[in-house]
Amino acid sequence: MKTALSGKGMYEAGSEDKADMIVELDFGMEAPRTKMERVSVRFYAQVGGGVRYESVPVTDARGNTTVRTVCGL
């Protein structure tokens, strides 16, 4: 406000009694309000690559080899 008035050659007086003019401003602002709102947002996430089956050779104590299918993630 002071800058705008100084551009017109006006400045702030020391007191109201010494002022040549009184400038009043009204911004038209309302009292503060509270607004509550619920918002739903869909969330998509990529998950692991699924299930993988793998054949693994297994040798027992006697030296016999068999193939077993195992599940890996």
Side-chain angles (χ1 to χ4, degrees):
M1 185 70 204
K2 290 180 184 180
T3 305
L5 290 175
S6 68
K8 301 287 183 187
M10 299 181 196
Y11 58 93
E12 184 177 359
S15 68
E16 259 187 52
D17 299 338
K18 297 180 182 176
D20 294 329
M21 176 188 330
I22 296 177
V23 177
E24 292 183 3
L25 298 174
D26 181 15
F27 291 97
M29 295 175 63
E30 297 178 13
R33 298 185 267 176
T34 300
K35 178 181 177 183
M36 298 184 82
E37 181 178 0
R38 181 179 293 220
V39 179
S40 296
V41 178
R42 292 182 185 224
F43 179 75
Y44 297 96
Q46 187 174 4
V47 293
V51 178
R52 180 184 76 223
Y53 294 98
E54 188 174 330
S55 296
V56 178
V58 177
T59 305
D60 64 13
R62 295 183 184 165
N64 299 322
T65 302
T66 56
V67 177
R68 293 197 182 172
T69 302
V70 294
C71 174
L73 297 176

